[in-house]
Amino acid sequence: MREKKEKLVVSFLTTTQAMAAEKYCLKNQIPGRIIPLPSEISAECGIAWCTEPEEEERIRQAINDGGIQAKGIHRVSLYS
């Protein structure tokens, strides 16, 4: 049986910002991937960046350094 794990999910106002976040994170070796926005989170854009909770500080820094407009950073239980 699959088990839910806590993940850090970054939501965005636009798809363009989500793609910019993906590009920045991949370039700077911040682990994660683009996922469909989980239903428990409401946002304008339907995709999000998902990573491990311990990457929160790096993600916050990436948002600031990369000029990325994130709508929110959420901790969500998702299936692995």
Side-chain angles (χ1 to χ4, degrees), residues 5-11 25 29-35 48-60 62-63 73-78:
K5 274 181 81 177
E6 184 179 57
K7 296 289 185 178
L8 192 70
V9 176
V10 182
S11 59
C25 288
Q29 300 178 345
I30 299 171
R33 63 188 176 96
I34 292 287
I35 63 167
W49 182 257
C50 178
T51 191
E52 298 301 322
E54 56 268 12
E55 297 294 334
E56 184 170 2
E57 227 11 78
R58 289 180 70 194
I59 288 295
R60 289 185 184 281
I63 290 168
I73 298 174
H74 317 271
R75 288 180 180 258
V76 180
S77 292
L78 301 174

Side-chain angles (χ1 to χ4, degrees), residues 17-35:
Q17 287 301 308
M19 302 310 282
E22 177 185 41
K23 182 177 178 180
Y24 185 92
C25 288
L26 292 175
K27 179 181 174 185
N28 291 283
Q29 300 178 345
I30 299 171
R33 63 188 176 96
I34 292 287
I35 63 167

Side-chain angles (χ1 to χ4, degrees), residues 33-52:
R33 63 188 176 96
I34 292 287
I35 63 167
L37 189 67
S39 58
E40 11 339 284
I41 302 171
S42 174
E44 298 295 322
C45 173
I47 59 176
W49 182 257
C50 178
T51 191
E52 298 301 322

